[in-house]
Amino acid sequence: MARLFGTDGVRGEANVELTPELAYRLGRAATLYFGENSETMPKILIGRDTRISGQMFEAALCAGICSAGGRAIIVGVIPTPAIAYLTKKKKANCGIVISASHNPFHDNGIKFFGGNGYKLPDSVEDELEDIVRKIEAGDDFPRSTGARMGYIDYRHNYINEYKDFILSTCKERFDGMKIVLDCSNGAAYEVMPMVLNSLGADVIVLNNAPNGRNINDNCGSTHMDRIQKAVVGLGADFGIAHDGDADRCLCVDEKGNIIDGDHILVMCAKEMIAAGTLTHNTVVTTVMANIGFHKAIKELGGRAEITKVGDRYVLENMLANGYKLGGEQSGHIIFTDYNTTGDGPVTAIQVLSAIKRSGKKASELNEMMVSYPQLLVNVAVKSKEGWEENEKIKAAIKAGEEQLGTEGRILVRPSGTEPLIRVMAEGPDQSALDRICHEIADVVVAEQGARQ
């Protein structure tokens, strides 16, 4: 039986792979697990993004929580990092987010934060899964009755506490700055305009009219064309684009150039190195970081720690070594001084603060790092199993590496959430990257099968 939890919670197509029945069992299991040693009624916060299926899963989770004698606190539509922050602040037993992040609207997911605000370790997820399987098989667990029965509490006003938290991370004001904000019709649509307006910015908001079906639909941090054109066309100073659950952000300088996660890390590292607040002058990143990132960090007098792809691995390294800044090219940026997970709104404010304090334009800071051409090809496959040991795939990768030589690299890895194998190549010649990536992709399809 496949593991229930993936790299970021339980995810699948809503009402197909991820069902309300499963959500009920997850809510019940979480309450039983986190409330086992609690002397008071276990308290569980629930937030969600704007997907049409979100309310269905919210209701199912609440039913499971109440059946096990828990207090379900519905926060409403709110960014994922807000639940991480609020779970710890409100001393809840755990927090739950209903979201599939950057995926299309028909997908959804359920992910958990412990009472400390951090995502759950694999061992705890495995224990939750064990309870879920036992509930599915017969459910001999006790049910609360009478005065011990659980109940639901509605606290959408908690969004204001998250807003105040974001503001507390900023010492600057942005009066006179024109900023374009793309909310991706997702979880940041309410809180992020409030934050920027509070800091004095002139805000032009895109994609802040969610209807349940338009989250991430040709907008947000996975579709940057529109915000790039808007920043240039409106003569704006800066652009911010979030994904569906706002745990990440990408930015745009006044020339319309994308500021990806690598560039964000360089910009913030420069600021922190100058202030003496970057532990050991070290930034934690993943194997996907651009070669240009490593050169830029070295020129700043810093160094990089490298992890596997995934913000959880970045965070593990940061916590183990006391590092303060880490993240991914995709825009998952973690500031351990502020939050326990990637926080898109906080990231945007930190980048804006770095720009303001520098006295320079966004493009000047963006140009501190020169990105090498990088091509990523997502290969939809029938199966990801066994690809690492496939001799033909290994031979294709080796041939590509020989063509790129010392000025480039190739990285092939499976997606943690989708039936994809990702082929990435990096080097000075874009046409060579295109040829090499597709040569490897063709072999992967031939060996692993094309997904229809």
Side-chain angles (χ1 to χ4, degrees):
M1 184 180 294
R3 188 171 186 267
L4 183 61
F5 286 85
T7 55
D8 199 19
V10 181
R11 192 176 290 189
E13 185 174 351
N15 228 15
V16 179
E17 296 147 326
L18 181 61
T19 64
E21 291 85 358
L22 176 55
Y24 166 81
R25 292 192 288 270
L26 284 165
R28 185 158 163 75
T31 310
L32 291 166
Y33 178 84
F34 289 103
E36 184 176 11
N37 298 313
S38 178
E39 295 180 359
T40 59
M41 176 177 285
K43 183 166 63 174
I44 299 178
L45 268 63
I46 303 175
R48 59 180 175 87
D49 66 21
T50 58
R51 293 163 208 273
I52 192 171
S53 60
Q55 291 173 308
M56 174 178 71
F57 291 122
E58 183 181 78
L61 282 164
C62 286
I65 291 166
C66 292
S67 76
R71 175 185 170 197
I73 303 175
I74 296 180
V75 183
V77 174
I78 199 167
T80 286
I83 292 298
Y85 167 74
L86 290 166
T87 296
K88 183 177 180 180
K89 181 183 180 184
K90 298 297 181 182
K91 295 181 171 58
N93 296 75
C94 82
I96 301 176
V97 177
I98 305 165
S99 174
S101 188
H102 59 280
N103 283 24
F105 85 92
H106 52 71
D107 290 338
N108 217 327
I110 297 172
K111 52 189 169 185
F112 294 83
F113 291 93
N116 57 5
Y118 291 102
K119 291 180 181 178
L120 304 182
D122 289 347
S123 58
V124 175
E125 289 181 342
D126 288 342
E127 290 186 66
L128 282 178
E129 178 170 349
D130 184 59
I131 298 172
V132 167
R133 300 301 186 196
K134 289 177 180 176
I135 292 172
E136 189 175 22
D139 197 354
D140 294 326
F141 294 101
R143 294 181 178 273
S144 299
T145 58
R148 297 177 64 85
M149 193 176 296
Y151 65 95
I152 300 171
D153 202 354
Y154 295 89
R155 296 292 176 127
H156 187 57
N157 59 306
Y158 281 4
I159 196 171
N160 293 315
E161 296 188 36
Y162 177 60
K163 179 199 75 173
D164 292 342
F165 157 69
I166 300 169
L167 293 174
S168 75
T169 72
C170 182
K171 298 178 181 178
E172 309 297 328
R173 286 191 58 82
F174 308 124
D175 300 273
M177 289 189 74
K178 183 183 288 188
I179 298 172
V180 180
L181 170 67
D182 186 341
C183 295
S184 199
N185 292 312
Y189 89 97
E190 186 175 0
V191 70
M192 198 53 185
M194 290 194 296
V195 167
L196 292 172
N197 283 319
S198 295
L199 293 170
D202 176 10
V203 188
I204 300 99
V205 186
L206 309 177
N207 301 305
N208 66 329
N211 61 16
R213 301 172 180 83
N214 59 2
I215 186 171
N216 301 318
D217 186 12
N218 292 313
C219 59
S221 62
T222 52
H223 300 86
M224 297 290 286
D225 290 355
R226 184 176 175 189
I227 191 172
Q228 288 177 273
K229 292 175 182 176
V231 168
V232 174
L234 295 168
D237 300 292
F238 195 66
I240 300 165
H242 292 299
D243 64 335
D245 71 333
D247 63 350
R248 71 170 79 174
C249 88
L250 296 180
C251 303
V252 176
D253 68 25
E254 80 284 356
K255 295 181 180 179
N257 298 312
I258 293 174
I259 305 173
D260 68 14
D262 287 345
H263 287 254
I264 288 172
L265 288 172
V266 169
M267 293 165 75
C268 292
K270 181 180 187 298
E271 172 82 9
M272 295 174 73
I273 288 172
T277 58
L278 189 64
T279 305
H280 303 307
N281 288 347
T282 297
V283 181
V284 182
T285 186
T286 77
V287 293
M288 290 295 289
N290 193 275
I291 293 173
F293 164 82
H294 294 281
K295 292 187 174 184
I297 288 295
K298 188 175 181 180
E299 288 173 6
L300 290 173
R303 61 179 293 273
E305 283 266 335
I306 311 300
T307 75
K308 294 188 294 184
V309 173
D311 60 313
R312 68 188 303 168
Y313 303 114
V314 171
L315 181 60
E316 284 175 6
N317 187 293
M318 294 174 72
L319 295 177
N321 297 290
Y323 298 136
K324 301 292 186 180
L325 175 65
E328 298 183 282
Q329 192 180 82
S330 61
H332 281 113
I333 310 296
I334 303 171
F335 297 86
T336 53
D337 281 339
Y338 300 130
N339 209 342
T340 54
T341 191
D343 192 318
V346 167
T347 298
I349 296 305
Q350 299 313 305
V351 177
L352 277 169
S353 295
I355 293 167
K356 186 68 181 287
R357 284 192 286 266
S358 74
K360 298 179 179 180
K361 293 183 177 181
S363 62
E364 295 179 81
L365 295 189
N366 196 23
E367 289 164 4
M368 289 191 299
M369 172 186 156
V370 177
S371 294
Y372 273 50
Q374 192 178 68
L375 182 65
L376 177 65
V377 175
N378 290 318
V379 186
V381 293
K382 290 181 180 178
S383 171
K384 296 182 286 186
E385 298 299 321
W387 73 271
E388 302 99 324
E389 307 305 320
N390 186 290
E391 294 299 329
K392 291 183 179 179
I393 295 176
K394 288 196 289 185
I397 295 170
K398 183 178 180 181
E401 289 172 338
E402 290 173 350
Q403 292 178 61
L404 288 174
T406 58
E407 282 296 301
R409 64 179 180 131
I410 293 170
L411 178 66
V412 181
R413 66 180 185 88
S415 166
T417 58
E418 300 173 87
L420 301 173
I421 291 178
R422 306 189 195 278
V423 180
M424 188 273 283
E426 190 173 79
D429 186 340
Q430 185 72 48
S431 61
L433 300 183
D434 185 75
R435 183 187 70 256
I436 291 167
C437 271
H438 284 93
E439 286 173 353
I440 296 171
D442 288 344
V443 175
V444 170
V445 169
E447 296 301 304
Q448 301 296 124
R451 185 167 182 255
Q452 300 300 316

